[in-house]
């Protein structure tokens, strides 16, 4: 049998390689570099997840490269024992390579009551009112910043596991949060709660775990019965979830 010439083999290899290269070029990539907040030193061993899926562990330089991401919005989380988890939302275009710097703060092991009291006396009226209701309300359920850090939560829906009367349901578009009372009243149909961010109505544009990062949240407030009038009252049959952010920036107004 006649052996193929070397130029022919090189041409064939190029043709086989080119489509694979073109397809790869359409995928996006993110390079995460993880640092310690207090020393700016790299943090090897930090674990990176994208859209709820583990994608790598930081090397000695604190670097994790995640490839093959589709264009659009992605939710990433970075965790490391002894550090406060970080959440990042990233919007990618086709073929884009993005560098993301992640600074992680040490997780405090002191749970002194004075820490929570200081936050309750914040000059931010939103947070003052939130902690005041958390102390006095008999109908709402509250997740404070101290509780978030104690849980070492990574995703927004992680905050709701173990909360009485609340069900976290996995679905094709990510986890959802529902009131068991509302689901029973809807006779098997879906009954999503209303969301508010910093006191303003908020319409989700995607999965809640992508919309909200736990590092951005000061507290979460829930009502699944006897909803206060300012959050909808009796018209909020499926309940309400209020998210209070940690910053004093202008509140979200999208509805």
């Amino acid at each position: 049998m006649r052996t193929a010439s070397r130029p022919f083999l090189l041409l064939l290899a190029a043709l086989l390689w080119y489509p694979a290269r073109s397809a790869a070029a359409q995928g996006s990539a993110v390079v995460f570099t993880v640092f310690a907040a207090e020393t700016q030193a790299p943090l090897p061993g930090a674990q990176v997840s994208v859209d709820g899926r583990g994608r790598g562990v930081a090397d000695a330089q604190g670097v994790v490269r995640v490839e093959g991401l589709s264009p659009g919005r992605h939710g990433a989380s970075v965790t490391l024992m002894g550090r406060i988890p970080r959440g990042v939302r990233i919007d990618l275009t086709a073929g884009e390579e993005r560098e993301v710097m992640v600074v992680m703060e040490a997780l405090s092991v002191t749970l002194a009551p004075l820490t929570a009291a200081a936050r309750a006396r914040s000059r931010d009226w939103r947070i003052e009112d939130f902690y005041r209701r958390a102390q006095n309300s008999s109908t709402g359920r509250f997740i404070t910043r101290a509780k978030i850090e104690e849980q070492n939560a990574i995703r927004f829906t992680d905050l709701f596991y173990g909360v009485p009367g609340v069900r976290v349901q996995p679905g094709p578009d990510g986890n959802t949060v529902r009131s068991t009372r509302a689901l029973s009243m809807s006779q098997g149909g879906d009954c999503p709660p209303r969301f508010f961010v910093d006191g303003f109505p908020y319409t989700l544009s995607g999965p809640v775990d992508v919309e909200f990062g736990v590092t951005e949240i000061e507290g979460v407030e829930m009502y699944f019965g006897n909803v206060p009038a300012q959050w909808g009252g009796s018209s909020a049959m499926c309940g309400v979830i209020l998210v209070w952010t940690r910053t004093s920036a202008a509140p979200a107004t999208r509805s």
Side-chain angles (χ1 to χ4, degrees):
M1 185 173 77
R2 188 174 179 181
T3 305
S5 66
R6 179 178 178 83
F8 175 78
L9 293 176
L10 291 174
L11 177 60
L12 178 61
L15 291 174
L16 292 174
W17 172 77
Y18 181 77
R21 181 177 181 272
S22 298
Q26 296 303 311
S28 303
V30 180
V31 179
F32 297 87
T33 305
V34 189
F35 296 96
E38 68 277 12
T39 64
Q40 286 73 56
L43 288 177
Q47 298 182 346
V48 174
S49 297
V50 178
D51 299 330
R53 174 187 169 196
R55 298 300 297 264
V57 177
D59 60 18
Q61 285 72 47
V63 175
V64 180
R65 181 182 177 85
V66 179
E67 299 179 328
L69 297 173
S70 61
R73 174 169 289 189
H74 298 271
S77 60
V78 183
T79 59
L80 181 65
M81 184 174 294
R83 298 279 167 177
I84 298 175
R86 293 296 308 274
V88 182
R89 282 178 280 184
I90 307 168
D91 291 305
L92 297 174
T93 57
E96 179 182 3
E97 180 164 320
R98 179 81 61 85
E99 294 185 2
V100 175
M101 303 293 183
V102 180
V103 179
M104 303 191 76
E105 299 179 0
L107 180 65
S108 175
V109 297
T110 303
L111 299 177
L114 288 177
T115 302
R119 285 175 179 158
R121 297 190 182 103
S122 166
R123 293 183 180 180
D124 189 330
W125 63 268
R126 301 172 305 117
I127 305 307
E128 287 183 351
D129 287 349
F130 166 75
Y131 280 105
R132 187 179 300 114
R133 287 190 299 273
Q135 292 176 353
N136 301 323
S137 175
S138 60
T139 59
R141 297 182 177 89
F142 297 82
I143 302 172
T144 64
R145 184 67 210 173
K147 183 63 174 178
I148 293 172
E149 295 180 3
E150 180 183 341
Q151 287 181 264
N152 203 22
I154 299 174
R155 299 172 302 182
F156 178 72
T157 52
D158 292 342
L159 303 177
F160 298 88
Y161 287 108
V163 177
V166 178
R167 181 184 300 173
V168 177
Q169 298 176 308
D173 297 323
N175 291 342
T176 60
V177 181
R178 298 290 185 266
S179 160
T180 54
R181 176 180 179 273
L183 290 174
S184 63
M185 292 175 60
S186 63
Q187 298 180 347
D190 192 22
C191 194
R194 296 180 183 178
F195 276 86
F196 290 78
V197 175
D198 293 333
F200 288 83
Y202 189 92
T203 300
L204 298 176
S205 61
V208 290
D209 286 327
V210 177
E211 291 278 333
F212 303 117
V214 293
T215 58
E216 304 168 353
I217 296 173
E218 178 67 27
V220 178
E221 186 172 349
M222 296 160 279
Y223 297 92
F224 296 118
N226 297 321
V227 178
Q230 65 265 40
W231 314 126
S234 59
S235 66
M237 298 297 295
C238 299
V240 296
I241 295 178
L242 293 84
V243 177
W244 302 99
T245 61
R246 300 184 70 184
T247 66
S248 58
T253 57
R254 184 177 59 180
S255 61

